[in-house]
Amino acid sequence: QVQLEESGGASVQAGGSLRLSCSASGFTSSIQSMGWFSFRQAPGQGREGVASICIRDSSASYADSAKGRFTVSLVNASLSRANGKVSLVLELTNLRSDDTAIYFCAARRNYCTWSPLAQDTYDYWGRGTQVTVSP
């Protein structure tokens, strides 16, 4: 099992920046990639992939809405080989009102290149952290 815990959510004004963190612990050697997903609590909407990163080589994938504004990175990725704690970071800049959402951290055992932003390919989930962007 892998445990994920997010932090860093806050209320900011449009144009502002935030840094979200996710701490992964447990059987981290089983993880191939990690990602961030947003949930806007609108009827019929599920969690949308924002960014994903491969543990092995730190290659990243982004949703179109995130490109140029958000940056995903890993801290202590090498520690995953020994089931150490790994941190996933999402730097959000130039925030907009439509970025308001709950942001979830996720991890998966699947190969990095397989649908990196598809929520149903992820095995482990955190509880989420709220980001609110006011006009």
Coordinates of all heavy atoms in Angstrom, one line a residue, residues 33-115:
S33 N 4.6 6.2 -11.5 CA 4.4 7.6 -11.8 C 3.4 8.2 -10.8 O 2.7 7.4 -10.1 CB 3.9 7.9 -13.2 OG 2.7 7.2 -13.5
M34 N 3.4 9.5 -10.7 CA 2.5 10.2 -9.8 C 1.9 11.4 -10.6 O 2.4 11.8 -11.6 CB 3.2 10.8 -8.6 CG 3.8 9.6 -7.7 SD 4.7 10.3 -6.3 CE 3.3 10.8 -5.3
G35 N 0.7 11.8 -10.1 CA 0.0 12.9 -10.8 C -0.8 13.7 -9.9 O -1.1 13.4 -8.8
W36 N -1.3 14.8 -10.5 CA -2.2 15.7 -9.8 C -3.5 15.8 -10.7 O -3.5 15.9 -11.9 CB -1.7 17.1 -9.7 CG -0.6 17.3 -8.7 CD1 0.8 17.3 -9.0 CD2 -0.7 17.5 -7.3 NE1 1.4 17.4 -7.8 CE2 0.6 17.6 -6.8 CE3 -1.8 17.6 -6.5 CZ2 0.8 17.8 -5.4 CZ3 -1.6 17.8 -5.1 CH2 -0.4 17.9 -4.6
F37 N -4.6 15.7 -10.0 CA -5.9 15.8 -10.6 C -6.8 16.9 -9.9 O -6.7 17.1 -8.7 CB -6.6 14.4 -10.5 CG -6.0 13.4 -11.3 CD1 -4.8 12.8 -10.9 CD2 -6.5 13.0 -12.5 CE1 -4.2 11.8 -11.6 CE2 -5.9 12.0 -13.3 CZ -4.7 11.4 -12.8
S38 N -7.6 17.5 -10.7 CA -8.5 18.5 -10.1 C -9.9 18.1 -10.2 O -10.3 17.4 -11.1 CB -8.3 19.9 -10.9 OG -8.8 19.7 -12.2
F39 N -10.7 18.5 -9.2 CA -12.1 18.1 -9.1 C -12.9 19.4 -8.8 O -12.7 20.0 -7.7 CB -12.4 17.1 -8.0 CG -13.8 16.7 -7.9 CD1 -14.5 16.1 -8.9 CD2 -14.5 16.9 -6.7 CE1 -15.8 15.7 -8.8 CE2 -15.8 16.6 -6.6 CZ -16.5 16.0 -7.6
R40 N -13.8 19.8 -9.7 CA -14.5 21.1 -9.6 C -15.9 21.0 -9.0 O -16.6 22.0 -8.9 CB -14.5 21.8 -10.9 CG -13.1 22.2 -11.4 CD -13.2 23.0 -12.7 NE -11.9 23.5 -13.0 CZ -10.9 22.8 -13.6 NH1 -11.1 21.5 -13.8 NH2 -9.7 23.3 -13.9
Q41 N -16.3 19.8 -8.6 CA -17.6 19.7 -8.0 C -18.7 20.1 -8.8 O -19.8 20.6 -8.3 CB -17.6 20.3 -6.6 CG -16.6 19.7 -5.6 CD -16.6 20.4 -4.3 OE1 -16.5 21.6 -4.2 NE2 -16.7 19.6 -3.2
A42 N -18.6 20.0 -10.1 CA -19.7 20.4 -11.0 C -20.5 19.1 -11.4 O -19.9 18.0 -11.4 CB -19.2 21.1 -12.3
P43 N -21.8 19.2 -11.6 CA -22.6 18.0 -11.9 C -22.0 17.3 -13.1 O -21.7 17.9 -14.1 CB -24.0 18.5 -12.2 CG -24.0 19.8 -11.4 CD -22.6 20.4 -11.5
G44 N -21.8 15.9 -13.0 CA -21.3 15.1 -14.1 C -19.9 15.2 -14.3 O -19.4 14.5 -15.2
Q45 N -19.1 15.9 -13.5 CA -17.7 16.0 -13.8 C -16.9 15.2 -12.8 O -17.3 15.1 -11.6 CB -17.2 17.5 -13.6 CG -17.5 18.4 -14.8 CD -16.6 19.6 -14.8 OE1 -16.1 20.0 -13.8 NE2 -16.5 20.2 -16.0
G46 N -15.9 14.5 -13.3 CA -15.0 13.7 -12.5 C -13.7 14.4 -12.3 O -13.6 15.6 -12.5
R47 N -12.7 13.7 -11.8 CA -11.4 14.3 -11.6 C -10.7 14.4 -13.0 O -10.7 13.4 -13.7 CB -10.6 13.5 -10.6 CG -11.1 13.6 -9.2 CD -10.4 12.8 -8.2 NE -10.8 11.4 -8.3 CZ -10.6 10.5 -7.3 NH1 -10.2 10.9 -6.2 NH2 -11.0 9.2 -7.5
E48 N -10.1 15.5 -13.2 CA -9.4 15.8 -14.5 C -7.9 15.8 -14.2 O -7.4 16.4 -13.2 CB -9.8 17.1 -15.1 CG -11.3 17.2 -15.4 CD -11.7 18.5 -16.1 OE1 -10.8 19.4 -16.1 OE2 -12.8 18.7 -16.5
G49 N -7.2 15.1 -15.1 CA -5.7 15.1 -15.0 C -5.1 16.5 -15.3 O -5.5 17.1 -16.2
V50 N -4.2 16.9 -14.4 CA -3.6 18.2 -14.5 C -2.1 18.0 -15.0 O -1.7 18.6 -15.9 CB -3.6 19.0 -13.2 CG1 -2.8 20.3 -13.3 CG2 -5.1 19.2 -12.8
A51 N -1.4 17.2 -14.3 CA 0.0 16.9 -14.6 C 0.4 15.6 -14.0 O -0.1 15.1 -13.0 CB 0.9 18.0 -14.0
S52 N 1.3 14.9 -14.7 CA 1.9 13.7 -14.3 C 3.4 13.6 -14.5 O 3.9 14.3 -15.3 CB 1.2 12.5 -15.1 OG 1.7 11.3 -14.8
I53 N 4.0 12.8 -13.6 CA 5.5 12.7 -13.8 C 5.9 11.3 -13.5 O 5.4 10.6 -12.6 CB 6.2 13.7 -12.8 CG1 7.7 13.8 -13.1 CG2 5.9 13.4 -11.4 CD1 8.4 15.0 -12.5
C54 N 6.9 10.9 -14.3 CA 7.4 9.5 -14.2 C 8.5 9.5 -13.1 O 9.4 10.3 -13.1 CB 8.0 9.1 -15.5 SG 8.6 7.4 -15.6
I55 N 8.4 8.5 -12.2 CA 9.4 8.4 -11.1 C 10.8 8.1 -11.7 O 11.8 8.6 -11.3 CB 9.0 7.3 -10.2 CG1 7.7 7.6 -9.5 CG2 10.1 7.0 -9.1 CD1 7.8 8.7 -8.5
R56 N 10.9 7.3 -12.7 CA 12.2 6.8 -13.3 C 13.0 7.9 -13.9 O 14.2 8.0 -13.6 CB 11.9 5.7 -14.3 CG 13.1 5.1 -14.9 CD 12.8 4.1 -16.0 NE 12.2 4.8 -17.2 CZ 10.9 4.7 -17.5 NH1 10.1 4.0 -16.8 NH2 10.5 5.3 -18.6
D57 N 12.4 8.7 -14.7 CA 13.1 9.7 -15.4 C 12.6 11.2 -15.3 O 13.1 12.0 -16.0 CB 13.2 9.3 -16.9 CG 11.8 9.3 -17.6 OD1 10.8 9.7 -17.0 OD2 11.8 8.8 -18.7
S58 N 11.6 11.4 -14.5 CA 11.0 12.7 -14.3 C 10.4 13.3 -15.5 O 10.2 14.5 -15.6 CB 12.0 13.7 -13.6 OG 12.4 13.2 -12.4
S59 N 10.1 12.5 -16.5 CA 9.4 13.0 -17.7 C 8.0 13.4 -17.3 O 7.3 12.6 -16.5 CB 9.4 12.0 -18.8 OG 8.8 10.8 -18.4
A60 N 7.5 14.5 -17.8 CA 6.2 15.0 -17.3 C 5.2 15.2 -18.4 O 5.6 15.3 -19.6 CB 6.4 16.4 -16.6
S61 N 3.9 15.1 -18.1 CA 2.8 15.3 -19.0 C 1.9 16.4 -18.4 O 1.7 16.4 -17.1 CB 2.1 14.0 -19.3 OG 2.9 13.1 -19.8
Y62 N 1.3 17.2 -19.2 CA 0.4 18.3 -18.7 C -0.8 18.3 -19.5 O -0.9 18.1 -20.7 CB 1.1 19.6 -18.8 CG 2.3 19.8 -17.9 CD1 3.6 19.5 -18.4 CD2 2.2 20.3 -16.6 CE1 4.7 19.7 -17.5 CE2 3.3 20.4 -15.8 CZ 4.5 20.1 -16.2 OH 5.6 20.3 -15.4
A63 N -1.9 18.7 -18.8 CA -3.1 19.0 -19.5 C -2.9 20.4 -20.2 O -2.1 21.2 -19.8 CB -4.3 19.2 -18.5
D64 N -3.7 20.6 -21.3 CA -3.5 21.8 -22.1 C -3.7 23.0 -21.2 O -3.0 24.0 -21.4 CB -4.5 21.8 -23.3 CG -4.1 20.9 -24.4 OD1 -2.9 20.4 -24.4 OD2 -5.0 20.5 -25.2
S65 N -4.6 23.0 -20.3 CA -4.9 24.1 -19.4 C -3.8 24.4 -18.5 O -3.7 25.5 -17.9 CB -6.2 23.9 -18.6 OG -6.0 22.7 -17.8
A66 N -2.9 23.4 -18.2 CA -1.8 23.6 -17.3 C -0.5 24.0 -18.0 O 0.4 24.5 -17.3 CB -1.6 22.3 -16.5
K67 N -0.4 23.7 -19.2 CA 0.9 24.0 -19.9 C 1.3 25.5 -19.8 O 0.4 26.4 -20.1 CB 0.8 23.6 -21.4 CG 0.8 22.1 -21.5 CD 0.6 21.7 -23.0 CE 0.5 20.2 -23.1 NZ 0.2 19.7 -24.5
G68 N 2.5 25.8 -19.5 CA 3.0 27.1 -19.4 C 2.7 27.8 -18.1 O 3.2 28.9 -17.8
R69 N 1.8 27.2 -17.3 CA 1.4 27.9 -16.0 C 1.8 27.0 -14.8 O 2.1 27.5 -13.7 CB -0.1 28.2 -16.0 CG -0.5 29.1 -17.0 CD -2.0 29.6 -16.8 NE -2.9 28.4 -16.7 CZ -3.7 28.2 -15.7 NH1 -3.8 29.0 -14.7 NH2 -4.5 27.2 -15.7
F70 N 1.7 25.7 -14.9 CA 2.0 24.7 -13.8 C 3.2 23.9 -14.1 O 3.5 23.6 -15.3 CB 0.8 23.8 -13.7 CG -0.5 24.4 -13.3 CD1 -1.7 23.7 -13.3 CD2 -0.6 25.8 -13.0 CE1 -2.9 24.2 -13.0 CE2 -1.8 26.4 -12.7 CZ -3.0 25.6 -12.7
T71 N 3.9 23.6 -13.1 CA 5.1 22.8 -13.2 C 5.1 21.7 -12.1 O 4.9 22.0 -10.9 CB 6.4 23.6 -13.0 OG1 6.4 24.7 -13.9 CG2 7.6 22.7 -13.2
V72 N 5.2 20.4 -12.6 CA 5.2 19.3 -11.7 C 6.7 18.8 -11.5 O 7.5 18.8 -12.4 CB 4.3 18.2 -12.2 CG1 4.8 17.6 -13.5 CG2 4.2 17.1 -11.2
S73 N 7.0 18.4 -10.3 CA 8.4 17.9 -10.0 C 8.3 16.9 -8.9 O 7.3 16.8 -8.1 CB 9.3 19.1 -9.7 OG 8.8 19.8 -8.5
L74 N 9.4 16.2 -8.7 CA 9.6 15.2 -7.6 C 10.7 15.6 -6.7 O 11.7 16.2 -7.2 CB 9.9 13.9 -8.2 CG 8.8 13.1 -9.0 CD1 9.4 12.0 -9.8 CD2 7.8 12.6 -8.0
V75 N 10.6 15.3 -5.5 CA 11.7 15.5 -4.5 C 12.0 14.1 -3.9 O 11.1 13.4 -3.5 CB 11.2 16.4 -3.4 CG1 12.3 16.6 -2.3 CG2 10.8 17.8 -3.9
N76 N 13.3 13.8 -3.9 CA 13.7 12.5 -3.3 C 13.2 11.3 -4.1 O 12.9 10.2 -3.5 CB 13.4 12.4 -1.9 CG 14.1 13.4 -1.0 OD1 15.2 13.7 -1.3 ND2 13.4 13.8 0.0
A77 N 13.1 11.4 -5.4 CA 12.6 10.3 -6.2 C 13.4 9.0 -6.1 O 12.8 7.9 -6.1 CB 12.5 10.7 -7.7
S78 N 14.7 9.2 -5.9 CA 15.5 8.0 -5.8 C 15.2 7.2 -4.5 O 15.5 6.0 -4.5 CB 17.0 8.4 -5.8 OG 17.3 9.2 -4.7
L79 N 14.7 7.8 -3.5 CA 14.3 7.1 -2.3 C 13.2 6.0 -2.5 O 13.1 5.2 -1.6 CB 13.9 8.1 -1.2 CG 15.0 9.0 -0.7 CD1 14.5 9.9 0.4 CD2 16.2 8.3 -0.2
S80 N 12.5 6.2 -3.5 CA 11.4 5.2 -3.8 C 11.9 3.8 -3.9 O 11.3 2.8 -3.6 CB 10.6 5.6 -5.0 OG 11.3 5.5 -6.2
R81 N 13.2 3.7 -4.4 CA 13.8 2.3 -4.6 C 13.9 1.6 -3.3 O 13.9 0.4 -3.3 CB 15.1 2.4 -5.2 CG 15.1 3.1 -6.6 CD 16.5 3.2 -7.2 NE 16.6 4.2 -8.2 CZ 17.6 5.0 -8.3 NH1 18.6 5.0 -7.5 NH2 17.6 5.9 -9.3
A82 N 14.0 2.3 -2.2 CA 14.1 1.7 -0.9 C 12.8 2.0 0.0 O 12.9 1.9 1.2 CB 15.3 2.3 -0.1
N83 N 11.7 2.2 -0.7 CA 10.4 2.5 -0.1 C 10.5 3.7 0.9 O 9.9 3.7 1.9 CB 10.0 1.2 0.7 CG 9.5 0.1 -0.2 OD1 8.9 0.4 -1.2 ND2 9.8 -1.1 0.2
G84 N 11.3 4.7 0.5 CA 11.4 5.9 1.2 C 10.3 6.9 0.8 O 9.6 6.6 -0.1
K85 N 10.3 8.0 1.6 CA 9.2 9.0 1.3 C 9.6 9.8 0.1 O 10.8 10.2 -0.1 CB 9.1 9.9 2.5 CG 8.2 9.4 3.6 CD 7.8 10.4 4.6 CE 6.8 9.9 5.6 NZ 6.4 10.9 6.6
V86 N 8.7 9.9 -0.8 CA 8.8 10.7 -2.0 C 7.8 11.9 -2.0 O 6.7 11.7 -1.6 CB 8.6 9.8 -3.3 CG1 8.8 10.7 -4.5 CG2 9.6 8.7 -3.3
S87 N 8.3 13.0 -2.5 CA 7.3 14.2 -2.5 C 7.1 14.6 -3.9 O 8.0 14.7 -4.7 CB 7.9 15.3 -1.7 OG 8.0 15.0 -0.3
L88 N 5.8 14.8 -4.2 CA 5.4 15.4 -5.5 C 5.0 16.8 -5.3 O 4.2 17.1 -4.4 CB 4.2 14.5 -6.0 CG 3.6 15.0 -7.3 CD1 4.5 14.7 -8.5 CD2 2.2 14.3 -7.5
V89 N 5.5 17.7 -6.2 CA 5.2 19.1 -6.0 C 4.5 19.6 -7.3 O 4.8 19.2 -8.4 CB 6.5 19.9 -5.8 CG1 6.3 21.4 -5.8 CG2 7.2 19.5 -4.5
L90 N 3.6 20.5 -7.1 CA 2.9 21.2 -8.2 C 3.0 22.7 -8.0 O 2.4 23.2 -7.0 CB 1.5 20.8 -8.4 CG 0.8 21.3 -9.7 CD1 1.4 20.8 -10.9 CD2 -0.7 21.1 -9.6
E91 N 3.8 23.4 -8.8 CA 3.9 24.8 -8.7 C 2.8 25.4 -9.7 O 2.8 25.1 -10.9 CB 5.3 25.3 -9.2 CG 6.4 24.7 -8.4 CD 6.7 25.5 -7.1 OE1 6.0 26.5 -6.8 OE2 7.6 25.1 -6.4
L92 N 1.9 26.2 -9.1 CA 0.9 26.8 -9.9 C 1.1 28.3 -10.0 O 1.3 29.0 -9.0 CB -0.5 26.6 -9.3 CG -0.9 25.1 -9.0 CD1 -0.6 24.7 -7.6 CD2 -2.4 25.0 -9.3
T93 N 1.2 28.9 -11.2 CA 1.4 30.3 -11.4 C 0.3 30.8 -12.3 O -0.5 30.1 -13.0 CB 2.7 30.6 -12.0 OG1 2.8 30.0 -13.3 CG2 3.9 30.0 -11.2
N94 N 0.1 32.2 -12.3 CA -0.9 32.8 -13.1 C -2.2 32.2 -12.9 O -2.9 31.8 -13.9 CB -0.4 32.8 -14.5 CG -1.2 33.8 -15.4 OD1 -1.9 34.7 -14.9 ND2 -1.2 33.6 -16.7
L95 N -2.6 32.0 -11.7 CA -3.9 31.3 -11.4 C -5.1 32.0 -11.9 O -5.1 33.3 -11.9 CB -4.0 31.0 -9.9 CG -3.1 29.8 -9.5 CD1 -2.9 29.9 -7.9 CD2 -3.7 28.5 -9.8
R96 N -6.1 31.3 -12.3 CA -7.3 31.8 -12.9 C -8.5 31.3 -12.0 O -8.4 30.3 -11.3 CB -7.5 31.4 -14.3 CG -6.3 31.7 -15.2 CD -6.6 31.3 -16.7 NE -7.0 29.9 -16.9 CZ -6.6 29.2 -17.9 NH1 -5.7 29.7 -18.8 NH2 -7.0 28.0 -18.1
S97 N -9.6 31.9 -12.2 CA -10.8 31.5 -11.4 C -11.2 30.1 -11.7 O -11.6 29.3 -10.8 CB -12.0 32.4 -11.7 OG -11.7 33.8 -11.3
D98 N -11.0 29.7 -13.0 CA -11.4 28.3 -13.3 C -10.4 27.3 -12.8 O -10.6 26.1 -13.1 CB -11.7 28.2 -14.8 CG -10.5 28.5 -15.7 OD1 -9.4 28.8 -15.1 OD2 -10.6 28.4 -16.9
D99 N -9.3 27.7 -12.2 CA -8.4 26.7 -11.5 C -9.0 26.3 -10.1 O -8.4 25.4 -9.5 CB -7.0 27.3 -11.3 CG -6.3 27.5 -12.7 OD1 -6.5 26.7 -13.6 OD2 -5.7 28.6 -12.8
T100 N -10.0 27.0 -9.7 CA -10.6 26.7 -8.4 C -11.1 25.2 -8.4 O -11.9 24.8 -9.2 CB -11.8 27.6 -8.1 OG1 -11.3 28.9 -7.9 CG2 -12.5 27.2 -6.8
A101 N -10.6 24.4 -7.5 CA -10.9 23.0 -7.4 C -10.3 22.4 -6.2 O -9.5 23.0 -5.5 CB -10.4 22.3 -8.7
I102 N -10.7 21.1 -6.0 CA -9.9 20.3 -5.0 C -8.9 19.6 -5.8 O -9.2 19.0 -6.9 CB -10.8 19.3 -4.3 CG1 -11.9 20.0 -3.5 CG2 -10.0 18.4 -3.4 CD1 -13.0 19.1 -3.0
Y103 N -7.6 19.7 -5.4 CA -6.5 19.0 -6.1 C -6.1 17.8 -5.4 O -5.8 17.8 -4.2 CB -5.3 20.0 -6.2 CG -5.6 21.0 -7.3 CD1 -6.5 22.1 -7.1 CD2 -5.0 20.9 -8.6 CE1 -6.7 23.0 -8.0 CE2 -5.3 21.9 -9.5 CZ -6.1 22.9 -9.3 OH -6.4 23.9 -10.2
F104 N -6.1 16.7 -6.1 CA -5.8 15.4 -5.6 C -4.4 14.9 -6.1 O -4.1 15.1 -7.3 CB -6.8 14.3 -5.9 CG -8.2 14.5 -5.3 CD1 -9.2 15.3 -5.9 CD2 -8.5 13.9 -4.1 CE1 -10.4 15.5 -5.3 CE2 -9.7 14.1 -3.5 CZ -10.7 14.9 -4.1
C105 N -3.7 14.3 -5.2 CA -2.4 13.6 -5.6 C -2.8 12.1 -5.8 O -3.6 11.6 -5.1 CB -1.4 13.8 -4.4 SG 0.1 12.8 -4.6
A106 N -2.1 11.5 -6.8 CA -2.4 10.1 -7.1 C -1.1 9.5 -7.5 O -0.1 10.1 -8.0 CB -3.4 10.0 -8.2
A107 N -1.0 8.1 -7.3 CA 0.1 7.3 -7.7 C -0.3 6.1 -8.3 O -1.4 5.6 -8.0 CB 1.0 7.1 -6.5
R108 N 0.5 5.5 -9.2 CA 0.1 4.3 -9.9 C 1.2 3.3 -10.1 O 2.4 3.8 -10.2 CB -0.6 4.6 -11.2 CG 0.3 5.3 -12.2 CD -0.5 5.5 -13.5 NE 0.4 5.9 -14.6 CZ 0.0 6.1 -15.8 NH1 -1.3 5.9 -16.2 NH2 0.9 6.5 -16.8
R109 N 0.9 2.1 -10.4 CA 1.9 1.1 -10.6 C 2.1 0.9 -12.1 O 3.0 0.1 -12.6 CB 1.5 -0.2 -10.0 CG 1.3 -0.2 -8.5 CD 1.0 -1.5 -7.9 NE -0.2 -2.1 -8.4 CZ -1.4 -2.0 -7.9 NH1 -1.5 -1.4 -6.7 NH2 -2.5 -2.6 -8.4
N110 N 1.3 1.5 -13.0 CA 1.3 1.2 -14.4 C 2.5 1.9 -15.0 O 3.1 2.9 -14.5 CB 0.0 1.8 -15.1 CG -1.2 1.0 -14.7 OD1 -1.1 -0.2 -14.7 ND2 -2.2 1.7 -14.3
Y111 N 2.9 1.5 -16.3 CA 4.0 2.1 -17.0 C 3.7 3.6 -17.2 O 2.6 4.0 -17.4 CB 4.1 1.4 -18.3 CG 4.6 0.0 -18.2 CD1 3.9 -1.0 -18.8 CD2 5.8 -0.3 -17.6 CE1 4.3 -2.3 -18.7 CE2 6.2 -1.6 -17.4 CZ 5.5 -2.6 -18.0 OH 5.9 -3.9 -17.9
C112 N 4.8 4.4 -17.1 CA 4.7 5.8 -17.2 C 4.0 6.3 -18.5 O 3.3 7.3 -18.4 CB 6.1 6.5 -17.2 SG 6.9 6.3 -15.6
T113 N 4.2 5.7 -19.6 CA 3.7 6.2 -20.9 C 2.3 5.9 -21.1 O 1.7 6.3 -22.1 CB 4.6 5.7 -22.0 OG1 4.6 4.2 -22.0 CG2 6.0 6.2 -21.9
W114 N 1.6 5.1 -20.3 CA 0.3 4.7 -20.5 C -0.7 5.7 -19.9 O -0.9 5.7 -18.7 CB 0.0 3.3 -19.9 CG -1.4 2.8 -20.2 CD1 -2.1 3.0 -21.3 CD2 -2.1 2.0 -19.3 NE1 -3.3 2.3 -21.2 CE2 -3.4 1.7 -20.0 CE3 -1.9 1.5 -18.1 CZ2 -4.4 1.0 -19.4 CZ3 -2.9 0.7 -17.5 CH2 -4.1 0.5 -18.1
S115 N -1.4 6.5 -20.8 CA -2.4 7.4 -20.4 C -2.1 8.1 -19.1 O -2.8 7.9 -18.1 CB -3.8 6.7 -20.3 OG -4.1 6.1 -21.5

